């Protein structure tokens, strides 16, 4: 039983689903979303507020402007892509607090959330600040 509990605690410590991410962004929590795909994927479509740092380009130099006290959530296309996993691993190795978005941008859209970019889905739920 203890091994099971630890397993599920670890999953929740290192992963986030689209609903949790949407709520965190809407509630103004200190979280930055990182699209770990190449730039052309980000430009075509991305989660609102996301920044693009392709996992292959995550280095001390390319991340030196980022705050290590903030939680970073990496994502990619979806379950057939592991750029978010590679990005999360790179960010953790660089000393950042990081979680991986379960299902990537595909599950984000599946849950009905808007995206931005040249192919963005504007009709979904939007992140709005009430401040």
């Amino acid at each position: 039983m203890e091994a099971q509990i630890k397993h599920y605690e670890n999953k929740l410590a290192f992963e986030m689903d689209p609903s949790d991410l949407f709520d965190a962004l809407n509630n103004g929590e200190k979280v930055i979303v990182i699209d770990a795909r190449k730039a052309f994927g980000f430009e075509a479509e991305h989660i609102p507020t996301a920044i693009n740092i392709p996992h292959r380009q995550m280095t001390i130099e390319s991340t030196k402007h980022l705050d290590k006290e903030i939680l970073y959530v990496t994502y990619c296309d979806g379950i057939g892509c592991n750029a978010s996993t590679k990005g999360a691993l790179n960010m953790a190795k660089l000393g950042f607090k990081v979680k991986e978005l379960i299902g990537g941008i595909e599950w984000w859209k599946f849950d009905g959330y808007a995206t931005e970019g040249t192919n963005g889905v504007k009709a979904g739920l939007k992140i709005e600040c009430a401040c």
Side-chain angles (χ1 to χ4, degrees):
M1 189 67 71
E2 286 301 314
Q4 258 187 314
I5 292 169
K6 189 66 177 165
H7 170 75
Y8 294 118
E9 286 175 342
N10 283 335
K11 281 184 64 108
L12 292 172
F14 303 123
E15 298 176 342
M16 180 179 279
D17 70 15
S19 176
D20 290 339
L21 178 57
F22 184 80
D23 288 346
L25 292 169
N26 259 337
N27 293 333
E29 293 179 30
K30 291 185 178 186
V31 60
I32 294 182
V33 183
I34 296 179
D35 187 320
R37 303 173 299 159
K38 293 179 179 176
F40 72 87
F42 177 81
E43 290 164 8
E45 187 173 34
H46 58 270
I47 293 173
T49 76
I51 61 173
N52 182 223
I53 308 176
H55 69 87
R56 289 179 176 93
Q57 297 172 13
M58 291 176 179
T59 63
I60 292 171
E61 187 64 28
S62 70
T63 60
K64 69 180 180 184
H65 65 287
L66 300 175
D67 184 349
K68 290 194 176 179
E69 298 305 312
I70 293 175
L71 174 65
Y72 293 86
V73 178
T74 62
Y75 76 91
C76 58
D77 287 332
I79 61 171
C81 177
N82 66 4
S84 62
T85 304
K86 291 175 181 177
L89 176 60
N90 290 343
M91 293 295 286
K93 285 180 176 179
L94 291 166
F96 293 93
K97 295 183 284 189
V98 62
K99 288 188 177 188
E100 184 177 9
L101 181 66
I102 299 170
I105 197 167
E106 286 305 312
W107 285 12
W108 176 266
K109 293 187 300 185
F110 180 77
D111 282 354
Y113 303 120
T115 59
E116 296 176 340
T118 57
N119 298 332
V121 179
K122 308 284 189 235
L125 296 173
K126 297 182 181 8
I127 298 166
E128 300 178 292
C129 180
C131 359

